[in-house]
Amino acid sequence: MSEKINITINGMPVEVEQGKTILEAADQSGVIIPSLCYHKDLCVAGNCRVCVVEVVGQKRLSAACATPCEEGMEIRTNSLNVRNSRKHIIELLLSEHNADCTRCYKNGNCELQNLASEYKIMSQDFIPLAPQKKYTIDMFSPSIIKDNSKCIRCQRCVRTCAELQGVNALTVAFKGDEMKITTFFEKAMNDVVCTNCGQCINHCPTGALVERNYIEEVWEAIANPNLHVVVQTAPAVRVGLGEELGMQPGTRVTGKMVAALKRLGFDSVLDTDFTADLTIIEEGHELLSRLKKALVDKDKSVKLPMATSCSPGWIKYIEHMYPEYLENLSTCKSPQQMFGALVKTYYAKARKLSPDKIISVSIMPCTAKKFEANRPEMHDSGYRDVDYVLTTRELAIMIKQAGIDFYKLEDAKFDRLMGESSGAGVIFGATGGVMEAALRTVYAVVTGRDVPFENLDITPVRGMEGVREASIKIENPQPEWAFLDGVELRCAVAHGLVNAKKVMDDVAAGKSNFHFIEIMACPGGCLGGGGQPIPTSPEIRQKRAEAIYAEDAGMPIRKSHENPEILKIYEDFLIKPLGEKSHHLLHTHYVGRNRF
Amino acid sequence: MAFESYQLKRADFIFKNENDWEKILSRTLSRPPQEIINELMSSELKGRGGAGFPTGLKWKLTAEESASVKYVICNADEGEPGTFKDREILSLVPYKVLVAMAVCGYVIGAANGFIYLRGEYKYLVPELNKAIKEFEYYCKEINHNFNISIFLGSGAYICGEETALFDSMEGKRGEPRNKPPYPTSSGYMGKPTVINNVETLAHTFTIFKYGAKKFYDLGVQYSRGSKLFSVSGDTPKPGIYELELGMSLQDFVEEFGDGDTKAVQVGGASGFLVPRKKFAETAIGYKGKLTGISLPTGGSMMLFNSSRSMYNVLDNYLEFFKEESCGQCTPCRVGCQQLYSGIKAVKRGEKPAQYLDKLLKLTETMQLTAKCGLGQSVANSFSSIVENFREEMIY
Ligand SMILES: Cc1cc2nc3c(=O)[nH]c(=O)nc-3n(C[C@H](O)[C@H](O)[C@H](O)COP(=O)(O)O)c2cc1C
Ligand code: SF4
Ligand code: SF4
Ligand code: SF4
Ligand code: SF4
Ligand code: FES
């Protein structure tokens, strides 16, 4: 227990734990202090200065986010001095800013705009500096647009990229009036180590970093009567979309989401969870085949641990940072890309459609998936497998544009053929979910029994700890898997690339003895993805995770290999896991990249 | 208490070299640390690098920290335009600084010291290293363990600010940190650190040698001892002078002016401009008895005669600040640009004269809210120039 100290905030006595900042103390006592550079996920920077407050007896104002409380402190958050200073600071930020709100993608969800609105900055006393600045917009990336004219230099993105992702693609360069956020040698985001994870977008308070949106392209496709537009929805979208449309974080809206997509005019509304299940079958068998080669054939060339490959941010990260470990990656495509390849083959055939008349759209919690869909190798169907990737946020925009009252929608069901999924597919959206889903299936394949966890909930791999480890002992396997008898299957789960780095450094140092590792680029897994609702915070991600697990618990089928549509696709089309068709459509390869 | 004279009095301690550093070092190291701290405290020596923090107290606070690793850093970044007193000290009497660092290490419990040397002073490195080598050799001889290394600065003015300096030494971009924590508890590498200006350290040598009283007897109340001044501008005798603190500016101008001095900028760009009519009532010190002038930076004294435009002077300072701000915090980064563009707009008639009052208000906000001393002190020169020479700003 840490010690308590007593302070007053605006005359009100408050008891806080020693070490808490003024901002935290205010927050706990219901006093709102505006902030911009502060973010719960990040280290304190204390650079925007909008959080300044008066500490009685001190000559200068103090940044509430950066000042620890001290016994007896008398804090004033709304004195004339404070208000005037704050207003000045907001005015200064605006004077340097291309405050063209009506043409801004963040219009309506912008922390700077909110502050300007709260403080009613109506006049423009200061000289507009933005026109003199040679601001640039970087639109080269398929995932991210970086518009320096909207940047307030709070460095949240820089801290995000360094502290959460360990990528350091963004840095501060130059000083004084030329200080700006940029990349290595001021290259385009597309030409540097950036993984397109979009975490910087989620943490940017303004419109300086936003996703590249494909809303108009999708509207056009929908409007074209000659095209059959298929949409797939990733697991985490169903626990984020409601939030983006004004509901509480963690609201599950699967049925409403499907209904809305149908109303938007998509010809078929299908589920990425289906290919999540398919991934489990393919990846599970891949793991077993690697284990067999390693344990039975004593084949030294087999790479273990095998790492999951469903997070394209993680893929690009390992391609840049650990190119010598690409063979450790599962060759499975991400569920999105498996889906894309199948839509223009399996689905087209079954529905008697010409693949060149199909547009495949995916709704993802992720901006890296936009990059992934754009990778040159993702044309295994003979066409571009996924044509457009929209984030949860873009879908919400379309729903609003279409005049759909989301709250009033009746639940609808996914269409057939690639719309059925298991609870295992759903939990792909949370960190540890792929591991849990894989274990449910692998254990069952090997032993013929369910995993030895109550309700199939493999709790050791759940949670928000950055790196989690678990092991599961295999006993009494089926004869075919006798070589696994008594083997302890060792697994690790990491989320956020900074944690991926920890795991990979251990692998590189030979300190790791895992068989299987799951890595998700984003904090919390896809539910905290770069395309999810803004703001994000540990509490919000926790709520979304609870929703994901509740969704899983409520599913009639909980294991990927029991999904009837999965059984059907193997029967009718793929024949067997890791078979020839799978190899062609569902698996891929990776490329080494440099570290800049 | 002694009669306080406010007269200009020369002093000669800093550069006086009696080649006795070995003796002073071993003698001082034989005293208990607490006694050395007391000696420094009673001398009332204040930091000569910026904030004027009492040096004895700084050492005491750091000594009281329980960490096992601590550091001593000599701030030789000397970025203030037109000042080169620290360079002179390091060239002429480097041993005084090295002795002071070692004593500081002894007092606070640090085995390593660094000299953060301004990049442009790179040419001093060979000589300094030679001195350090000899110094360390002597330390070994008397069984005192203390190492000193030189760290070359990056050339950014802001890296002279102590916490930006630590960041820069740690290989990061030099940006001032939040305080607290202060360097005394968390400085370089997060360890308790004493960071002192070159001149401050050199004065401690004087105190170790002659005792606190000798130092205390110089100067006036709140401003004890002598100080190096870099005299420049419209003066027949530019250069570095050691003067007792507390002299009146009138005396100073009589000594150094060219007979036509219109104003003196005391303390460089972050200091104050004092117009002729206030010379007599201004004393140079930390808490001047007369007007309350402080010496915010390294002792730069720039004289201006009546041929100078105060608008140009201010314009220069603001250009300096807008470029040398590290750029991280809003009030300083944007404030400096607004002040810079603002006075131009007034001069050109694009903004009314009253706009200057708006800018004065802005400098108050900068003073109240900027993250470090740079942004906080822009108000000094701005308000003292605008208030005293308002007509020059407009016409
Ligand atoms: C913008 C800025 C620049 C500074 N530059 C220097 C410098 O070049 N040299 C220096 O000794 N102190 C400089 N300082 C002051 C230091 O932060 C620090 O207060 C000083 O080194 C402490 O030493 P002292 O107590 O001996 O004065 C600067 C401060 C600021 C805010
Ligand atoms: S970033 Fe915010 S304040 Fe700036 S233009 Fe966009 S909405 Fe407006
Ligand atoms: S998208 Fe991710 S990797 Fe790229 S700059 Fe942003 S945070 Fe860094
Ligand atoms: S891009 Fe966004 S997060 Fe980064 S510094 Fe600018 S405003 Fe802040
Ligand atoms: S006041 Fe200026 S120099 Fe200091 S931290 Fe802020 S921007 Fe940087
Ligand atoms: S929120 Fe405290 S300084 Fe930015």
Side-chain angles (χ1 to χ4, degrees):
Chain A
M1 261 305 276
S2 67
E3 239 173 274
K4 300 270 185 187
I5 55 174
N6 293 291
I7 61 170
T8 65
I9 301 181
N10 303 333
M12 184 170 58
V14 176
E15 198 188 55
V16 286
E17 258 172 55
Q18 179 111 39
K20 291 273 179 228
T21 63
I22 296 177
L23 191 69
E24 288 164 330
D27 188 43
Q28 111 187 15
S29 29
V31 174
I32 297 166
I33 299 176
S35 63
L36 277 174
C37 66
Y38 173 79
H39 196 288
K40 275 194 177 162
D41 283 336
L42 307 172
C43 276
V44 168
N47 59 32
C48 75
R49 316 305 282 179
V50 298
C51 70
V52 285
V53 296
E54 200 171 315
V55 177
V56 174
Q58 300 216 333
K59 221 167 46 187
R60 281 190 265 277
L61 302 183
S62 302
C65 69
T67 309
C69 294
E70 279 167 33
E71 180 62 43
M73 251 185 189
E74 287 175 50
I75 295 155
R76 292 185 189 150
T77 69
N78 189 32
S79 66
L80 192 62
N81 239 347
V82 168
R83 238 184 359 259
N84 286 341
S85 294
R86 226 176 249 164
K87 199 163 171 185
H88 253 152
I89 289 169
I90 301 166
E91 284 179 300
L92 288 176
L93 283 172
L94 290 172
S95 78
E96 213 189 15
H97 189 82
N98 170 20
D100 190 7
C101 293
T102 56
R103 269 184 286 263
C104 182
Y105 192 63
K106 285 296 278 296
N107 189 3
N109 184 11
C110 168
E111 295 180 37
L112 179 63
Q113 189 185 47
N114 288 349
L115 271 183
S117 144
E118 254 168 45
Y119 279 79
K120 294 291 164 240
I121 311 287
M122 319 288 285
S123 57
Q124 189 174 52
D125 288 335
F126 290 124
I127 296 168
L129 300 167
Q132 314 162 21
K133 306 227 169 198
K134 294 175 218 92
Y135 284 132
T136 49
I137 306 184
D138 173 355
M139 302 210 282
F140 292 105
S141 157
S143 297
I144 298 175
I145 295 178
K146 177 167 175 285
D147 179 352
N148 281 351
S149 76
K150 310 276 188 208
C151 173
I152 55 164
R153 298 156 179 84
C154 65
Q155 302 189 33
R156 264 157 57 164
C157 55
V158 176
R159 281 175 283 147
T160 300
C161 198
E163 293 166 23
L164 301 182
Q165 302 301 66
V167 175
N168 297 301
L170 295 169
T171 52
V172 182
F174 309 108
K175 56 185 167 53
D177 53 338
E178 296 184 343
M179 182 271 209
K180 65 168 158 185
I181 311 303
T182 183
T183 55
F184 182 72
F185 272 116
E186 299 202 66
K187 291 184 181 195
M189 294 279 274
N190 207 29
D191 294 331
V192 295
V193 285
C194 170
T195 66
N196 300 298
C197 71
Q199 285 306 313
C200 52
I201 297 177
N202 276 15
H203 291 85
C204 177
T206 70
L209 284 164
V210 297
E211 67 265 25
R212 174 134 168 213
N213 81 77
Y214 297 88
I215 297 171
E216 291 311 320
E217 287 86 340
V218 172
W219 277 133
E220 271 183 37
I222 290 175
N224 187 333
N226 299 320
L227 296 175
H228 180 88
V229 187
V230 177
V231 66
Q232 53 164 318
T233 59
V237 177
R238 64 208 69 191
V239 299
L241 182 64
E243 184 182 331
E244 185 68 11
L245 289 164
M247 299 174 169
Q248 285 303 310
T251 312
R252 290 149 56 194
V253 294
T254 317
K256 285 189 192 314
M257 171 184 76
V258 174
L261 288 164
K262 292 190 168 172
R263 284 222 197 162
L264 291 179
F266 286 103
D267 296 301
S268 190
V269 179
L270 301 174
D271 201 351
T272 316
D273 292 13
F274 165 78
T275 34
D277 281 337
L278 188 57
T279 301
I280 289 304
I281 308 298
E282 292 288 326
E283 200 164 287
H285 281 89
E286 185 184 357
L287 175 67
L288 288 172
S289 100
R290 287 197 195 202
L291 287 175
K292 184 162 185 216
K293 279 188 202 147
L295 298 174
V296 180
D297 310 340
K298 308 281 178 210
D299 180 350
K300 288 261 182 306
S301 70
V302 170
K303 297 288 190 270
L304 286 172
M306 184 176 93
T308 58
S309 56
C310 20
S311 167
W314 151 240
I315 297 299
K316 188 149 184 274
Y317 177 80
I318 188 174
E319 287 178 333
H320 282 292
M321 304 294 188
Y322 300 91
E324 57 291 11
Y325 289 94
L326 294 181
E327 285 182 42
N328 288 67
L329 284 175
S330 159
T331 58
C332 285
K333 287 181 183 172
S334 72
Q336 158 175 283
Q337 292 305 137
M338 285 195 182
F339 198 102
L342 291 174
V343 156
K344 295 193 183 179
T345 52
Y346 171 63
Y347 174 89
K349 213 164 122 198
R351 286 287 159 92
K352 304 196 172 47
L353 292 162
S354 161
D356 65 347
K357 293 285 183 288
I358 297 178
I359 291 290
S360 99
V361 175
S362 65
I363 314 292
M364 293 286 139
C366 177
T367 51
K369 295 251 165 44
K370 291 174 186 267
F371 171 85
E372 183 188 38
N374 204 42
R375 289 176 74 118
E377 63 272 25
M378 296 299 177
H379 286 74
D380 287 333
S381 62
Y383 304 87
R384 182 168 152 142
D385 296 335
V386 174
D387 294 289
Y388 301 112
V389 179
L390 305 181
T391 59
T392 307
R393 297 188 292 263
E394 288 165 83
L395 174 58
I397 293 171
M398 291 182 73
I399 290 171
K400 287 188 208 157
Q401 288 178 347
I404 296 170
D405 186 343
F406 194 72
Y407 286 74
K408 293 202 183 130
L409 285 176
E410 296 278 343
D411 285 0
K413 284 206 166 3
F414 285 107
D415 291 317
R416 290 293 81 174
L417 200 57
M418 292 165 65
E420 180 83 71
S421 70
S422 73
V426 172
I427 56 175
F428 262 59
T431 166
V434 176
M435 181 62 69
E436 180 166 348
L439 291 177
R440 285 183 195 170
T441 287
V442 166
Y443 195 88
V445 167
V446 171
T447 66
R449 303 183 306 273
D450 277 345
V451 278
F453 289 92
E454 201 178 330
N455 294 327
L456 302 173
D457 293 348
I458 311 183
T459 43
V461 299
R462 295 188 181 183
M464 289 293 170
E465 196 68 36
V467 179
R468 304 185 295 284
E469 299 174 8
S471 62
I472 181 164
K473 191 159 183 181
I474 296 183
E475 280 163 333
N476 299 324
Q478 309 275 65
E480 190 190 343
W481 306 103
F483 69 92
L484 285 174
D485 198 10
V487 168
E488 187 137 295
L489 195 60
R490 286 182 304 269
C491 313
V493 171
H495 60 125
L497 291 172
V498 79
N499 295 312
K501 181 174 170 20
K502 288 182 197 152
V503 171
M504 287 311 292
D505 284 346
D506 276 357
V507 169
K511 284 197 287 190
S512 148
N513 61 0
F514 300 115
H515 298 109
F516 189 30
I517 53 184
E518 177 209 292
I519 296 185
M520 292 293 154
C522 292
C526 304
L527 57 85
Q532 289 284 70
I534 301 171
T536 181
S537 70
E539 294 77 26
I540 291 174
R541 292 192 294 275
Q542 183 57 40
K543 291 253 162 53
R544 294 180 194 157
E546 284 161 15
I548 289 258
Y549 289 114
E551 185 93 358
D552 165 39
M555 298 285 277
I557 303 167
R558 307 278 307 284
K559 288 164 280 182
S560 301
H561 56 280
E562 291 176 0
N563 176 345
E565 287 193 344
I566 292 290
L567 300 173
K568 184 171 162 54
I569 195 175
Y570 278 108
E571 217 174 283
D572 294 354
F573 185 69
L574 294 171
I575 316 301
K576 61 168 189 176
L578 307 181
E580 164 140 23
K581 271 234 166 63
S582 296
H583 180 74
H584 177 59
L585 293 173
L586 309 182
H587 292 257
T588 186
H589 59 273
Y590 309 103
V591 290
R593 300 171 193 265
N594 69 32
R595 298 189 59 128
F596 318 110
Chain B
M1 185 179 295
F3 172 70
E4 310 223 296
S5 75
Y6 305 111
Q7 269 161 24
L8 181 131
K9 280 180 259 168
R10 293 191 189 235
D12 182 20
F13 291 98
I14 296 264
F15 295 114
K16 191 153 103 191
N17 188 0
E18 292 175 331
N19 280 321
D20 53 356
W21 64 268
E22 283 114 327
K23 194 176 96 201
I24 306 296
L25 177 64
S26 45
R27 194 178 75 196
T28 314
L29 288 179
S30 68
R31 302 171 66 186
Q34 189 54 47
E35 199 184 301
I36 300 174
I37 288 174
N38 289 343
E39 182 97 53
L40 281 181
M41 305 250 282
S42 60
S43 76
E44 292 190 13
L45 167 63
K46 289 178 184 164
R48 298 316 199 215
F53 193 83
T55 307
L57 183 57
K58 190 182 272 190
W59 291 23
K60 178 170 184 272
L61 291 173
T62 315
E64 283 165 1
E65 290 286 330
S66 58
S68 57
V69 176
K70 301 180 187 178
Y71 296 104
V72 179
I73 295 177
C74 166
N75 189 342
D77 197 41
E78 196 158 51
E80 186 71 42
T83 32
F84 41 86
K85 62 173 183 78
D86 294 342
R87 182 191 73 192
E88 290 303 289
I89 294 173
L90 288 175
S91 322
L92 300 174
V93 287
Y95 291 99
K96 292 194 178 180
V97 177
L98 304 182
V99 166
M101 289 175 74
V103 172
C104 179
Y106 164 69
V107 166
I108 67 167
N112 289 294
F114 298 91
I115 299 176
Y116 187 96
L117 189 68
R118 178 183 170 143
E120 286 89 333
Y121 294 170
K122 192 172 165 191
Y123 67 93
L124 290 179
V125 171
E127 279 299 307
L128 262 180
N129 269 332
K130 224 165 85 192
I132 290 172
K133 216 163 162 190
E134 194 187 328
F135 179 79
E136 284 177 348
Y137 182 80
Y138 179 75
C139 282
K140 261 198 207 90
E141 253 182 15
I142 59 167
N143 274 327
H144 183 69
N145 173 28
F146 193 72
N147 299 303
I148 297 179
S149 20
I150 299 176
F151 189 98
L152 264 188
S154 63
Y157 174 66
I158 194 59
C159 288
E161 195 280 337
E162 52 200 15
T163 59
L165 183 148
F166 301 146
D167 271 8
S168 150
M169 283 180 64
E170 291 169 15
K172 302 182 200 139
R173 174 186 162 85
E175 278 185 358
R177 301 175 183 171
N178 295 302
K179 293 186 215 171
Y182 294 96
T184 48
S185 63
S186 172
Y188 175 54
M189 293 294 190
K191 304 292 179 201
T193 304
V194 163
I195 176 163
N196 272 132
N197 172 254
V198 175
E199 185 189 339
T200 312
L201 291 168
H203 283 297
T204 65
F205 184 91
T206 306
I207 295 163
F208 302 149
K209 179 166 169 178
Y210 299 107
K213 181 158 190 316
K214 186 118 176 172
F215 185 87
Y216 181 89
D217 284 346
L218 307 177
V220 298
Q221 198 185 2
Y222 305 123
S223 304
R224 295 293 168 188
S226 59
K227 158 115 199 65
L228 293 183
F229 290 90
S230 304
V231 180
S232 63
D234 299 316
T235 167
K237 34 184 175 181
I240 295 175
Y241 299 89
E242 185 174 348
L243 306 172
E244 276 188 45
L245 286 175
M247 72 207 145
S248 85
L249 195 54
Q250 184 78 53
D251 261 30
F252 176 86
V253 170
E254 269 161 31
E255 175 74 20
F256 293 101
D258 61 0
D260 181 28
T261 307
K262 161 174 156 185
V264 180
Q265 178 80 10
V266 179
S270 3
F272 296 83
L273 185 98
V274 185
R276 181 185 295 147
K277 61 176 186 286
K278 292 186 184 156
F279 285 169
E281 60 191 59
T282 302
I284 305 303
Y286 289 97
K287 199 169 171 190
K289 231 346 199 357
L290 299 176
T291 58
I293 275 284
S294 71
L295 253 187
T297 46
S300 153
M301 302 289 280
M302 191 175 269
L303 294 91
F304 301 106
N305 67 20
S306 56
S307 73
R308 303 288 162 181
S309 145
M310 288 301 122
Y311 172 83
N312 287 345
V313 170
L314 181 57
D315 185 56
N316 268 329
Y317 288 150
L318 293 175
E319 185 170 18
F320 174 79
F321 284 127
K322 108 176 152 55
E323 285 168 8
E324 293 302 332
S325 152
C326 80
Q328 68 162 318
C329 80
T330 314
C332 172
R333 179 188 68 249
V334 196
C336 289
Q337 296 173 65
Q338 285 297 348
L339 298 176
Y340 177 75
S341 310
I343 63 162
K344 286 190 156 49
V346 170
K347 191 79 173 176
R348 288 198 212 105
E350 293 158 14
K351 289 270 185 194
Q354 296 88 295
Y355 190 62
L356 291 173
D357 302 319
K358 218 174 171 70
L359 296 179
L360 282 167
K361 277 238 148 57
L362 172 61
T363 60
E364 279 171 32
T365 295
M366 291 169 69
Q367 194 165 30
L368 284 174
T369 64
K371 187 168 173 179
C372 86
L374 189 148
Q376 289 158 4
S377 64
V378 174
N380 298 348
S381 49
F382 190 90
S383 56
S384 60
I385 295 178
V386 168
E387 275 160 11
N388 288 305
F389 294 95
R390 196 178 167 99
E391 11 17 279
E392 287 194 37
M393 300 299 121
I394 302 167
Y395 307 108

